[in-house]
Amino acid sequence: MSFYRSFFLVLITLFFTSTVLADGSIRADSHGPVGVMGEHMHKEGEWMFSYRYMQMEMDGNLEGSNSLSIDEVLQDYSVAPEKMSMAMHMLGAMYAPSNDLTLMVMLPVVNNEMDHSMEMAGGMGMMPMRSTFTTETDGLGDIKVGGLYRLHETSNSTLILNLSLSLPTGSIDEKDMTGMSMGSEVVLPYAMQVGSGTYDLRPGLTYNSHQATYSWGAQAIATLRLDENDNHYSLGDRLMTTIWYARPFAKSFSWSVRGAYEYWDDIDGESSKLSPMMKNMVPTADPDLRGGQRVDLATGINWIIPGSHSNRLAVEFIRSIYQDLNGPQLETDYSFVLGWQLSL
Ligand SMILES: [Cu+2]
């Protein structure tokens, strides 16, 4: 066999191999880690439906980056938040009317639970009395509608403009009994509400790069409150930035590592549904003790279910490694996200 002939055979083999790879095997890391949203686009005419379950666990109080014990919080307040668990079911749909534009809608259903310790002053010469109580809220959260616009593309990278609007569909009047409400239901502090009550603009940028053996991406999304809600406050603006690295393995899997930084402001205004005295009794009712910043590290796995290139399962575990909070404010320990995605 002549040199030219073998060279030609190798070229043809390479050509068909790369065609098969580009055509037949969609990589699991063609979508980012499941905790990142709006990070991939679709081809014209494609639909995607998704379900995500997200849970965040908060435990203990921080003032700045220093831990405060329950006893320390109770020196200044009669109620101290101890733990909070936030669960979210999120349904999503994506549709691409063209290769340059992907539309998306996200519908969250939220469940919040907060455990508190409470101290009531005892009578003359008596010890103060400690007790605990839990409040719970749930319901439809704020629906988000928006789009992803392709700003720039090369053979292995994409730059996306993210723009969505968060609608005030979630309630800001959620009530429950508290340890101090004498058996009646009262409107709960800010963190227990399931909605923001405001129209929020969410602009952002996402960059994706796909190489032969790995991929990486980065995203920054801001949440800007456009107005004041019916209870005369608006939650603080937020900035979320994240960067990730992913590698395919075992044909239909990929694993990822990700870092994230999030900053959020205090609340503007003060809820007209909370008694002004309440912020002296419990820190969660103080609009000036809601802001902070946090650094997270995450690791996850994406899996394309073999046999059907349109079905994906993914999981991501997120650990908070640094926080600086206007406190006393509850500290985030960890969260996780489970997701299922179906492309049509
Ligand atoms: Cu999608």
Side-chain angles (χ1 to χ4, degrees):
M1 205 187 283
S2 78
F3 170 78
Y4 287 108
R5 198 173 152 165
S6 358
F7 183 71
F8 209 58
L9 273 175
V10 168
L11 263 186
I12 288 173
T13 313
L14 276 177
F15 177 77
F16 279 104
T17 313
S18 57
T19 307
V20 168
L21 275 178
D23 216 50
S25 62
I26 301 166
R27 272 163 50 171
D29 65 338
S30 62
H31 288 190
V34 71
V36 186
M37 265 145 270
E39 90 304 341
H40 67 267
M41 297 191 65
H42 286 274
K43 291 201 183 83
E44 182 174 341
E46 258 178 24
W47 281 91
M48 188 187 92
F49 297 96
S50 63
Y51 166 76
R52 281 183 176 88
Y53 175 78
M54 299 185 251
Q55 191 170 322
M56 180 185 260
E57 293 296 329
M58 306 170 109
D59 192 353
N61 287 274
L62 286 184
E63 185 166 22
S65 46
N66 300 318
S67 286
L68 288 181
S69 67
I70 295 300
D71 287 341
E72 286 171 309
V73 179
L74 288 176
Q75 281 168 15
D76 297 324
Y77 298 91
S78 38
V79 177
E82 267 189 272
K83 279 182 182 184
M84 182 170 180
S85 174
M86 300 162 73
M88 188 189 276
H89 302 274
M90 193 156 82
L91 293 173
M94 296 174 94
Y95 171 71
S98 82
N99 282 336
D100 285 331
L101 182 67
T102 295
L103 302 174
M104 65 190 281
V105 55
M106 292 189 287
L107 189 151
V109 176
V110 183
N111 174 265
N112 295 323
E113 241 183 271
M114 199 187 280
D115 296 339
H116 310 73
S117 268
M118 176 172 123
E119 194 165 87
M120 300 277 261
M124 277 266 270
M126 286 170 56
M127 293 288 286
M129 301 242 294
R130 279 281 173 96
S131 57
T132 61
F133 68 94
T134 300
T135 56
E136 190 178 352
T137 56
D138 47 53
L140 176 68
D142 290 341
I143 293 174
K144 289 165 187 72
V145 292
L148 291 82
Y149 181 74
R150 188 164 62 181
L151 290 176
H152 186 71
E153 190 177 53
T154 68
S155 58
N156 56 13
S157 72
T158 319
L159 180 66
I160 301 169
L161 173 72
N162 299 72
L163 189 62
S164 63
L165 187 68
S166 173
L167 310 173
T169 49
S171 162
I172 53 168
D173 296 314
E174 289 300 298
K175 293 178 171 184
D176 202 354
M177 279 190 268
T178 74
M180 317 195 91
S181 68
M182 314 280 190
S184 61
E185 295 203 328
V186 292
V187 172
L188 296 177
Y190 309 100
M192 291 299 288
Q193 297 303 328
V194 295
S196 68
T198 50
Y199 287 90
D200 307 330
L201 195 63
R202 306 179 76 234
L205 284 174
T206 306
Y207 178 79
N208 277 307
S209 170
H210 289 272
Q211 306 298 329
T213 54
Y214 69 93
S215 61
W216 71 274
Q219 184 182 67
I221 304 245
T223 302
L224 309 169
R225 319 287 175 182
L226 298 180
D227 55 354
E228 191 178 70
N229 63 29
D230 291 343
N231 294 348
H232 303 107
Y233 68 91
S234 55
L235 296 179
D237 291 339
R238 302 183 84 93
L239 175 69
M240 188 280 301
T241 62
T242 185
I243 183 164
W244 66 91
Y245 172 89
R247 248 187 125 85
F249 72 95
K251 211 165 180 187
S252 57
F253 289 87
S254 66
W255 62 263
S256 61
V257 288
R258 181 163 77 88
Y261 168 78
E262 194 160 3
Y263 170 89
W264 61 101
D265 265 336
D266 281 328
I267 288 170
D268 273 333
E270 200 163 334
S271 173
S272 53
K273 297 277 172 75
L274 298 176
S275 144
M277 280 155 43
M278 210 167 148
K279 62 172 182 274
N280 301 322
M281 297 191 287
V282 55
T284 52
D286 190 335
D288 294 329
L289 296 181
R290 302 312 307 157
Q293 52 186 334
R294 191 177 75 234
V295 177
D296 294 332
L297 268 186
T299 181
I301 288 180
N302 287 359
W303 181 40
I304 299 181
I305 298 174
S308 76
H309 281 155
S310 54
N311 253 307
R312 293 161 167 269
L313 288 176
V315 60
E316 192 173 28
F317 183 79
I318 304 152
R319 179 103 178 107
S320 301
I321 55 166
Y322 172 78
Q323 287 169 89
D324 177 8
L325 308 178
N326 300 343
Q329 192 183 149
L330 282 177
E331 155 186 20
T332 302
D333 266 2
Y334 67 90
S335 50
F336 63 85
V337 184
L338 297 168
W340 170 69
Q341 299 173 329
L342 173 69
S343 301
L344 301 173

